[in-house]
């Protein structure tokens, strides 16, 4: 790629003066962003009353964040490669703080949607943080640090739910967003003081047409998937949006292949290692959502149903919280396995563990400790997989494209989650039981969703099997001053995987 400025490795080149602090700050920033995504969950049922809006309109406070995150992630990654990853990380955190303040001051729907949109625009923090680590950390520290950064998504989500439930139960709901703003401000200050700016830049011109194309395609696709159940899957609106998504993404792909400086380098994305990692990420995102949907409902449904446990949202958060701690604990083990066996094996192991967790869930779902065990097993598998994915991506792309490639991988997981939401929603809407005068998802409906979650994890396992074999290499500093050298030498230094 033209104007690529790879970071040369020289004899005196050294790690950042405070590598531990850099890793801790970046991981904290990732946790803050994932906290933002879960803070609103305890008040979702109350949003229509709190915002004086209809239920169908109030849910836009959630949908807006999803759409903004999908659009912002690949664009912020590309801008980070061009103009500085730390700079875009700071911009993302500023958007998070601003959006949180707007939500905290909101009492009606429109400002809430605006604030949640701004919060969604901060979703690229984790892939940007992983990319900064690649540029700034020594090779021997990279695998463990990126695994920890990737796990921060699950850690923040798991720890955020009980915290949010406690705040919502004991304080005014606005406190949720003031908390998010305060944590975002702390992360912003720490990044300013501790995290260095990477010297690895691509330069060049921003692909405005490509960004508009992918935004149109993604918004149309995710809007159809997330609102299809409300509008009707065969309605003109849903089918029209799906048609727009297909046409827009096809036109976008054609344009990206012809432009000199694309938003997403599709030729790099088509490399076997990148392609199958991204496909496995879609399957993993799908699998992850099954647990996030089933366990909270099982815990909160009335005991009189015969399978519900009749617990509060705070209990739901406490049951799911250990999952985040397990994910964090798995980060160094994931890195160790990737170092000795290769990230391909780590990803396959994670997929197998997640599938086993869902198998347990089908059999064990009648006691709280059953669900704690299941969430921990699945969390362990996700910890392995999330640690391997960045290593696989960085093992196949040049350093100058790291942020864009990691951002695209994060987007693939989000797409899988959105598709899972639609599929699980259809299943649970069809497989119901009558409780009084209310139709509730049946026990077999939940088991079906869990079986599909296990199937998605096994699909991720099968896709990972097509990844190139691991070939151990010596982690040396590869000196490169051109895009060609960067592509060949730098990936091998990072993961030791061939592509």
């Amino acid at each position: 790629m033209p104007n690529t400025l790879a970071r040369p490795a020289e004899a005196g080149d050294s790690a950042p003066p405070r590598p531990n602090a850099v890793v801790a700050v970046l991981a904290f920033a990732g946790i803050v962003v994932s906290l933002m995504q879960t803070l609103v969950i305890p008040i979702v049922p109350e949003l229509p009353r709190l915002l004086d809006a209809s239920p169908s309109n109030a849910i836009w406070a959630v949908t807006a964040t999803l759409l903004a995150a999908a659009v912002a992630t690949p664009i912020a990654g590309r801008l980070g490669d061009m103009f500085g990853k730390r700079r875009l990380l700071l911009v993302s955190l500023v958007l998070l703080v601003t959006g949180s303040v707007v939500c905290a001051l909101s009492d009606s729907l429109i400002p809430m949607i605006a604030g949640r949109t701004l919060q969604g625009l901060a979703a690229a923090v984790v892939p940007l943080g992983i990319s900064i680590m690649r540029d700034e950390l020594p090779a021997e520290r990279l695998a463990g640090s990126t695994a920890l950064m990737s796990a921060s998504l699950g850690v923040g989500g798991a720890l955020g739910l009980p915290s949010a439930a406690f705040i919502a139960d004991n304080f005014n709901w606005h406190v949720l967003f003031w908390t998010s703003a305060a944590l975002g401000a702390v992360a912003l200050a720490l990044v300013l003081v501790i995290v260095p700016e990477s010297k690895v830049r691509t330069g060049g011109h921003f692909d405005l047409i490509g960004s508009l194309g992918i935004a149109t395609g993604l918004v149309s696709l995710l809007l159809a998937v997330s609102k299809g159940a409300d509008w009707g899957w065969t309605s003109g609106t849903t089918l029209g949006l799906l048609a727009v998504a297909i046409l827009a993404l096809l036109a976008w792909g054609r344009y990206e292949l012809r432009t000199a400086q694309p938003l997403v380098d599709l030729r790099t994305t088509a490399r076997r290692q990148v392609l199958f990692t991204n496909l496995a990420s879609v399957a993993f995102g799908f699998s992850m959502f099954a647990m996030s949907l089933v366990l909270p409902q099982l815990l909160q449904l009335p005991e009189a149903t015969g399978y519900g446990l009749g617990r509060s949202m705070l209990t739901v958060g406490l049951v799911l919280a250990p999952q985040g701690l397990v994910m964090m604990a798995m980060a160094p083990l994931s890195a160790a396995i990737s170092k000795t066996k290769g990230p391909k094996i780590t990803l396959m192991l994670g997929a197998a563990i997640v599938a086993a967790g869902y198998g347990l869930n089908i059999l064990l779902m009648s006691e709280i400790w059953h669900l704690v065990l299941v969430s921990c097993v699945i969390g362990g598998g996700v910890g392995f997989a999330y640690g391997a994915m960045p290593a696989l991506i960085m093992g196949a792309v040049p350093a100058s494209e790291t942020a864009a490639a990691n951002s695209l991988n994060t987007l693939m997981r989000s797409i899988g989650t959105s598709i899972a939401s639609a599929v699980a929603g259809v299943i649970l809407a069809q497989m119901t039981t009558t409780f009084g005068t209310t139709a509730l998802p049946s026990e077999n409906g939940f088991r079906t969703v869990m079986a599909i979650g296990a199937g998605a994890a096994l699909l991720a396992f099968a896709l990972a099997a097509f990844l190139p074999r691991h070939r151990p290499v010596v982690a040396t500093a590869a000196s490169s001053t051109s895009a060609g050298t960067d592509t060949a030498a730098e990936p091998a230094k990072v993961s030791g995987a061939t592509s």
Side-chain angles (χ1 to χ4, degrees), residues 205-469:
H205 301 287
F206 179 66
D207 180 11
L208 179 60
I209 295 176
S211 65
L212 293 174
I214 195 173
T216 301
L218 288 174
V219 168
S220 300
L221 174 63
L222 295 177
L223 197 53
V225 168
S226 61
K227 302 292 286 184
D230 296 331
W231 295 337
W233 291 106
T234 58
S235 70
T237 303
T238 302
L239 294 177
L241 283 170
L242 289 173
V244 169
I246 293 170
L247 293 174
L249 291 174
L250 286 174
W252 170 77
R254 180 181 176 85
Y255 175 81
E256 292 294 280
L257 289 171
R258 294 179 172 221
T259 189
Q261 297 177 337
L263 178 75
V264 177
D265 189 339
L266 294 181
R267 291 180 177 83
T268 298
T269 304
R271 293 176 184 171
R272 182 158 59 121
Q273 185 157 316
V274 180
L275 176 62
F276 280 97
T277 301
N278 284 333
L279 291 175
S281 296
V282 175
F284 245 101
F286 188 105
S287 182
M288 273 289 295
F289 187 80
M291 180 195 65
S292 302
L293 180 69
V294 169
L295 267 60
Q297 290 197 58
L298 283 174
L299 284 162
Q300 292 182 90
L301 284 174
E303 290 185 80
T305 59
Y307 52 91
L309 299 178
R311 305 293 175 165
S312 67
M313 177 59 76
L314 179 58
T315 302
V316 173
L318 293 173
V319 168
L320 296 179
Q323 175 199 16
L325 301 177
V326 171
M327 288 179 65
M328 182 174 288
M330 290 300 104
L333 183 56
S334 171
I337 295 174
S338 293
K339 184 177 180 180
T340 56
K341 302 294 184 180
K344 170 183 175 177
I345 299 301
T346 310
L347 180 56
M348 295 176 70
L349 178 61
I353 293 173
V354 170
Y358 280 115
L360 278 176
N361 202 181
I362 293 172
L363 300 173
L364 303 176
M365 54 185 290
S366 59
E367 301 286 345
I368 287 183
W369 73 265
H370 291 170
L371 303 187
V372 172
L373 174 64
V374 166
S375 68
C376 287
V377 172
I378 294 176
V382 172
F384 278 117
Y386 276 18
M389 288 173 187
L392 286 163
I393 292 296
M394 291 188 295
V397 302
S400 57
E401 298 177 19
T402 303
N406 277 320
S407 296
L408 183 64
N409 182 251
T410 300
L411 175 62
M412 292 299 103
R413 280 181 260 172
S414 299
I415 290 175
T417 298
S418 300
I419 296 172
S421 174
V423 171
V426 170
I427 291 171
L428 295 180
Q430 296 297 318
M431 302 181 69
T432 61
T433 184
T434 302
F435 181 71
T437 59
T438 305
L440 297 175
S442 67
E443 186 175 17
N444 285 334
F446 287 125
R447 285 199 167 100
T448 300
V449 172
M450 287 183 278
I452 292 174
L458 293 175
L459 175 60
F461 181 94
L463 290 167
F466 287 95
L467 289 166
R469 291 184 178 181

